[in-house]
Amino acid sequence: MEQDILLEINQLHKNYDDRTVLNGVNLKVHKGEVVVILGPSGCGKSTLLRCINGLEPIQSGDISLDGQSISAAGTDWHLVRQKIGMVFQSYDLFPHMTILENILLGPLKVQKRSQEEATRQAEALLERIGLLDRKDAFPRQLSGGQKQRVAIVRALCMNPEVMLFDEVTAALDPEMVREVLDVMLGLAKQGMTMVIVTHEMGFAKAVADKVVFIDEGKIVEESDAELFFTDPKTDRAKQFLNIFNFNEEKG
Amino acid sequence: MDFGFIIQSLPLYWKAAQLTLTISVWAIGLSLLLGFFCSLILYFQVPVLSLIVKIYIEISRNTPSLIQLFFLYYGLTQIGLKLEAELCAVAGLTFLGGSYMAEAFRSGLEAVGKTQIESGLSIGLSRSQLVRYVIFPQAFSVSMPALEANAIFLIKETSIVSAVALPDLMFIAKDLIGMYYSTKEALTLLVLFYLILLLPVSLLLTALERKVRYGQFGN
């Protein structure tokens, strides 16, 4: 099992000025594993993802991908980010490009793949999420859910080794949440390695292999998904999960 | 209205319009170039240079354009630097337009959100690719209306070059009024010729704007 570790984080510390955001985080993500990160707002979940992708500099600790450190000085992020797909809460498609152009920018300009081959893959992916007929539309012509699905495809088309999802449904209407989550479930079934930050508890339960519960910059509990939701070990996790239960009803 | 006089004066106006247009084209082109580089210096916060650019913009925007032109034409002569009137006109208008163009470009660059930049980085774009494929096209779409307004403004502003004895449209009109007292005809022709110059430019720019901005903003 040890050689299957794709992403490994050791003693990660991250501060903004004098405020500690991540305080010694250790995490192992195996190939094909779906890790869901839960925790209250401001606990450092999103920051953790952003550190993995090099969008935030870290103060100390080590992050390695495929056994190679990606937190050392002189890391070629241009190369590393091709292996790490990231999807953001606010989709962030490029508004001046069509859907297809959005998806192809990375494969063509960063990976220098052939137009023909990259287009074939992009169209196949669009077909899978049911948006092939919108390939020449602009992002402003799509709904939030559609945009977010395209954003997922844009990251996928780079053939990353791991996908990071940062609260990707938080900005969506409830009706559109499902279509995005379904795409992610599909990916998980295909064996994609995923690290997901979410507030959708039902989805977390359905998709996760492992749940990591973070509070105040530290991993408070890390366990098998089934176990975490049915029998959380720490009081803090119990308290957190209780927020999502309504025991009292209107009299 | 003396139509005979109007017809007789047409070739004079035509020639003057060509000068106005030539000065405009040079001034707009150089202003865009100057403004573009100034905006980059501001956007990337280049040390020292950005302070110089800020000072330049404040001077350029807070002094009358006529005074700027006089400064170049008469002022520099005092320290032994004699510039051609045409060169002065283009330099003066570029000094004026550069700051306006810089602000227009800068507002566009700053309108590109941080999340757009992160999203570009996350697919592995290098810094220069990010600037080229993500930041510039979006910034340009946003800046476009302001750039157009500045271009039109500069064409109109060329009328000040008559003050340094360049025979542009304004100069010809003043000349004819001075020589023949034909105020009505001369001014009517003046307005007409500016319209003939500016209307097509306006329409062309609007069409260009629609094309450039379609993707991002629709119609």
Side-chain angles (χ1 to χ4, degrees):
Chain A
M1 200 61 185
E2 279 302 299
Q3 71 268 35
D4 277 359
I5 291 175
L6 184 63
L7 184 70
E8 184 166 7
I9 300 168
N10 275 316
Q11 281 305 312
L12 177 63
H13 285 84
K14 162 80 191 167
N15 321 314
Y16 289 116
D17 299 321
D18 53 357
R19 196 167 64 88
T20 304
V21 183
L22 293 173
N23 192 9
V25 169
N26 297 300
L27 181 66
K28 288 188 178 79
V29 180
H30 296 88
K31 228 168 230 153
E33 191 175 31
V34 177
V35 175
V36 168
I37 302 176
L38 298 177
S41 282
C43 71
K45 314 181 290 284
S46 291
T47 306
L48 177 59
L49 287 194
R50 294 164 59 81
C51 288
I52 296 173
N53 203 15
L55 290 175
E56 299 284 350
I58 63 172
Q59 270 66 50
S60 69
D62 184 66
I63 305 173
S64 56
L65 182 72
D66 261 346
Q68 277 184 320
S69 172
I70 56 170
S71 54
T75 295
D76 191 349
W77 284 108
H78 177 61
L79 289 177
V80 173
R81 287 189 183 122
Q82 295 178 38
K83 299 184 197 169
I84 304 176
M86 180 144 179
V87 186
F88 301 86
Q89 179 179 333
S90 49
Y91 347 121
D92 291 299
L93 297 180
F94 305 125
H96 59 298
M97 295 181 181
T98 64
I99 298 311
L100 192 61
E101 285 167 349
N102 260 283
I103 299 170
L104 289 179
L105 183 64
L108 295 184
K109 302 299 176 192
V110 177
Q111 297 178 322
K112 316 270 183 217
R113 285 154 60 186
S114 83
Q115 174 91 37
E116 203 187 332
E117 177 267 332
T119 307
R120 212 178 313 126
Q121 188 188 359
E123 290 187 344
L125 288 168
L126 277 175
E127 172 103 71
R128 224 168 68 194
I129 60 164
L131 287 176
L132 184 56
D133 58 329
R134 304 310 308 275
K135 67 175 179 175
D136 295 319
F138 285 96
R140 65 181 158 77
Q141 297 164 321
L142 268 55
S143 71
Q146 291 175 326
K147 277 190 262 204
Q148 194 57 292
R149 276 141 68 200
V150 170
I152 295 174
V153 164
R154 180 174 65 179
L156 274 181
C157 205
M158 302 287 289
N159 298 317
E161 294 178 20
V162 55
M163 289 276 286
L164 312 177
F165 294 86
D166 187 7
E167 298 191 32
V168 293
T169 57
L172 294 175
D173 289 343
E175 285 190 335
M176 292 166 178
V177 168
R178 185 62 200 235
E179 66 192 45
V180 172
L181 297 183
D182 280 341
V183 171
M184 291 165 70
L185 266 174
L187 275 180
K189 270 188 210 144
Q190 280 170 21
M192 172 60 79
T193 312
M194 297 156 83
V195 182
I196 302 169
V197 169
T198 185
H199 287 296
E200 302 285 338
M201 289 304 139
F203 171 68
K205 208 186 277 185
V207 79
D209 296 314
K210 180 161 81 183
V211 171
V212 172
F213 179 69
I214 297 185
D215 191 29
E216 291 176 351
K218 272 191 166 153
I219 293 184
V220 176
E221 184 162 340
E222 178 178 345
S223 65
D224 182 75
E226 194 58 35
L227 222 60
F228 179 82
F229 288 104
T230 51
D231 185 24
K233 290 189 282 288
T234 58
D235 287 342
R236 187 66 189 90
K238 277 178 200 156
Q239 194 189 346
F240 177 76
L241 285 173
N242 260 334
I243 297 169
F244 299 94
N245 295 328
F246 292 90
N247 292 327
E248 281 180 44
E249 281 169 38
K250 188 178 161 199
Chain B
M1 191 79 82
D2 183 350
F3 287 99
F5 180 83
I6 287 184
I7 298 199
Q8 266 181 359
S9 311
L10 278 178
L12 274 177
Y13 273 90
W14 175 240
K15 197 150 173 272
Q18 286 174 317
L19 179 69
T20 293
L21 197 62
T22 310
I23 293 176
S24 300
V25 168
W26 277 100
I28 291 169
L30 292 175
S31 295
L32 282 171
L33 214 62
L34 177 64
F36 181 64
F37 281 111
C38 287
S39 72
L40 288 186
I41 288 169
L42 291 178
Y43 183 68
F44 292 107
Q45 296 169 352
V46 182
V48 188
L49 285 181
S50 56
L51 181 68
I52 296 174
V53 168
K54 276 181 199 156
I55 293 171
Y56 153 63
I57 288 176
E58 292 312 318
I59 293 175
S60 160
R61 299 210 303 177
N62 294 305
T63 52
S65 47
L66 188 61
I67 313 278
Q68 292 170 7
L69 191 60
F70 276 3
F71 185 84
L72 285 173
Y73 194 63
Y74 300 114
L76 291 185
T77 322
Q78 299 295 310
I79 55 164
L81 206 63
K82 180 89 182 90
L83 295 179
E84 297 283 324
E86 284 88 350
L87 195 61
C88 269
V90 170
L93 288 167
T94 303
F95 182 82
L96 173 74
S99 63
Y100 283 86
M101 296 294 191
E103 290 291 288
F105 276 124
R106 191 179 60 89
S107 65
L109 287 170
E110 284 175 0
V112 181
K114 189 171 160 252
T115 55
Q116 279 287 311
I117 291 167
E118 288 180 347
S119 148
L121 287 176
S122 77
I123 55 167
L125 293 178
S126 66
R127 285 272 161 194
S128 60
Q129 284 175 327
L130 187 69
V131 169
R132 188 169 151 201
Y133 299 115
V134 177
I135 299 178
F136 277 0
Q138 291 184 43
F140 188 58
S141 296
V142 173
S143 306
M144 189 79 189
L147 295 174
E148 281 167 41
N150 291 345
I152 304 271
F153 159 73
L154 277 179
I155 298 177
K156 293 189 286 193
E157 206 56 29
T158 55
S159 57
I160 61 166
V161 304
S162 59
V164 294
L166 280 174
D168 78 322
L169 285 170
M170 186 68 196
F171 184 92
I172 294 298
K174 277 197 285 192
D175 221 24
L176 291 179
I177 294 168
M179 284 193 292
Y180 306 108
Y181 300 112
S182 48
T183 313
K184 260 187 307 189
E185 291 80 3
L187 287 182
T188 307
L189 276 172
L190 183 61
V191 171
L192 277 179
F193 265 86
Y194 270 115
L195 279 176
I196 290 170
L197 275 187
L198 283 159
L199 277 179
V201 176
S202 247
L203 292 174
L204 208 72
L205 288 178
T206 309
L208 186 68
E209 175 186 329
R210 191 164 298 159
K211 197 167 146 55
V212 167
R213 285 165 63 92
Y214 175 75
Q216 207 162 335
F217 299 103
N219 283 318

